Amino acid sequence: MAEELLVVSNLKKYYPITGGVLGSEIGVVKAVDDISFSIRRGETLGLVGESGCGKSTTGRSLLRLIEPTSGKVYFDGVDVTALKPEEMRKMRRDMQIVFQDPFASLNPRHNIAKILEEPLIVHGVGSSAERRKRVEHMLEVVGLNSYHARRYPHQFSGGQRQRIGIARALMLNPKLIVADEPVSALDVSIQSQVLNLMQDLQREMGLTYLFIAHDLSVVRHISDRVGVMYLGRIVELATSSQLYTKPLHPYTQALLSAVPVPDPDDVRERVILQGDVPSPANPPSGCTFHTRCPHVMEECRTVRPPFQDVGDGHYVACHLYKTD
Ligand code: SF4
């Protein structure tokens, strides 16, 4: 059995921009622009970046909830980009998603039993009695009670609703969970409870996570490795400890300098980035970060830096780090 559960190769998601009287294509938004990474079985890969950097589009493209423009996604050795709709539907048993806003993703007219049972019905799993048992069991697994099955989404707090979102994703015993900002809408005190729950479930059920967040401090403790995205590309990918102790890319350095540290002796210089994130419809040439980078050099404006391993599996796309 291969060590990697998920391999993403040169994934792109472009959206056409249409205009003019004839509605012809006048440009493209490069939401995800040629990214490659893999996730090992049982691993958590964090994917971080500002809003609009393409991290959620990446998560949804690899599940084919939106169709990628090009590139390959191998899940457990199977090229999911080549699957027919019916084959993809079956594959989704093993690849589930947890959304940011649990309230919006839970049908307000259905009680929790119905919401949790639905994936089992769609995939024809179990008898009605078996499904009910599984609902009760899964509610307990995520720290709720079986009597909660009769209640409706509005009767729960935000943290409880996210537990229900996680229970729903786990109903079919998946291998991979794409968690798309699962704690961003929750209070800080509730965030750590949900993160701890996700870590416990990972250990118990052998889950593999792609954990998407806009905040480096959220992914720090849950991730084995972290990828940092900027304008549709991964600019740095490393283990959590490499990334947090020795960030290489100037963008990662700026993001990390904004994360508060509990140690008063650890005085970090705050890097304030100039300007806004450029539009992905008109990204800068060369290194797309060059319009905001404090270390910009001449070649950065014209030459796209390769994404390369600069040692010990620490990948970075920046001309400051040449390997040859
Ligand atoms: Fe900055 Fe140049 Fe590195 Fe881009 S390639 S991050 S502009 S130094």
Side-chain angles (χ1 to χ4, degrees):
M1 197 159 53
E3 198 191 355
E4 264 93 25
L5 179 65
L6 185 82
V7 178
V8 175
S9 172
N10 304 106
L11 186 72
K12 292 182 185 173
K13 178 63 191 175
Y14 292 177
Y15 291 99
I17 308 169
T18 51
V21 228
L22 299 173
S24 52
E25 190 175 319
I26 53 170
V28 286
V29 173
K30 297 178 176 181
V32 176
D33 191 15
D34 197 3
I35 67 170
S36 302
F37 62 89
S38 60
I39 314 182
R40 292 190 282 272
R41 288 169 203 279
E43 184 184 36
T44 298
L45 178 72
L47 204 53
V48 184
E50 290 164 288
S51 90
C53 70
K55 54 193 189 305
S56 292
T57 309
T58 301
R60 281 157 209 237
S61 299
L62 61 90
L63 297 177
R64 285 184 62 195
L65 295 174
I66 48 181
E67 285 299 328
T69 304
S70 65
K72 294 282 180 202
V73 177
Y74 297 93
F75 178 77
D76 229 350
V78 176
D79 177 3
V80 298
T81 53
L83 294 181
K84 299 193 178 77
E86 180 53 24
E87 294 166 329
M88 190 62 225
R89 200 179 65 80
K90 287 193 186 128
M91 184 62 101
R92 288 226 177 82
R93 279 185 73 152
D94 288 334
M95 312 169 85
Q96 291 286 316
I97 186 164
V98 173
F99 295 99
Q100 172 181 359
D101 183 351
F103 200 48
S105 68
L106 302 175
N107 189 330
R109 289 190 302 275
H110 290 171
N111 67 17
I112 302 308
K114 189 155 188 206
I115 288 170
L116 294 185
E117 212 187 341
E118 195 191 353
L120 300 178
I121 294 173
V122 168
H123 287 275
V125 178
S127 65
S128 156
E130 285 164 344
R131 290 196 297 265
R132 249 196 324 275
K133 243 178 131 176
R134 175 104 182 130
V135 167
E136 289 175 6
H137 170 69
M138 207 40 84
L139 281 171
E140 276 160 24
V141 164
V142 298
L144 296 169
N145 287 306
S146 49
Y147 62 77
H148 284 131
R150 291 188 297 278
R151 297 195 181 161
Y152 288 80
H154 73 269
Q155 295 175 291
F156 294 91
S157 67
Q160 286 175 321
R161 282 201 288 263
Q162 195 52 293
R163 286 173 190 268
I164 295 164
I166 292 168
R168 181 178 53 183
L170 295 176
M171 286 302 284
L172 291 161
N173 247 333
K175 295 177 181 159
L176 174 75
I177 301 264
V178 172
D180 189 2
E181 305 238 20
V183 298
S184 306
L186 305 177
D187 290 344
V188 176
S189 57
I190 309 294
Q191 283 186 359
S192 52
Q193 291 174 16
V194 173
L195 289 173
N196 288 341
L197 170 68
M198 289 185 68
Q199 280 182 308
D200 292 345
L201 293 171
Q202 181 172 43
R203 268 191 299 274
E204 285 158 24
M205 303 174 78
L207 296 166
T208 302
Y209 289 145
L210 176 66
F211 193 102
I212 296 167
H214 62 266
D215 185 341
L216 269 169
S217 58
V218 167
V219 292
R220 178 173 194 156
H221 296 294
I222 198 164
S223 304
D224 299 294
R225 289 184 301 143
V226 177
V228 178
M229 281 190 80
Y230 186 77
L231 274 184
R233 296 177 187 168
I234 297 182
V235 296
E236 186 162 5
L237 179 68
T239 64
S240 281
S241 66
Q242 285 168 338
L243 196 93
Y244 287 90
T245 54
K246 198 166 175 277
L248 297 180
H249 198 281
Y251 179 59
T252 315
Q253 290 167 355
L255 286 183
L256 266 179
S257 78
V259 174
V261 280
D263 180 358
D265 294 330
D266 184 352
V267 191
R268 275 194 210 147
E269 199 186 330
R270 177 94 197 258
V271 184
I272 311 279
L273 291 177
Q274 303 300 319
D276 294 326
V277 182
S279 162
N282 188 19
S285 56
C287 170
T288 52
F289 188 57
H290 84 250
T291 51
R292 304 171 81 198
C293 181
H295 305 287
V296 60
M297 302 171 287
E298 206 37 55
E299 68 172 326
C300 305
R301 300 179 208 280
T302 50
V303 183
R304 177 176 173 172
F307 185 62
Q308 53 189 358
D309 186 347
V310 293
D312 297 329
H314 192 151
Y315 286 81
V316 65
C318 174
H319 291 306
L320 291 171
Y321 310 95
K322 304 257 187 219
T323 53
D324 40 72

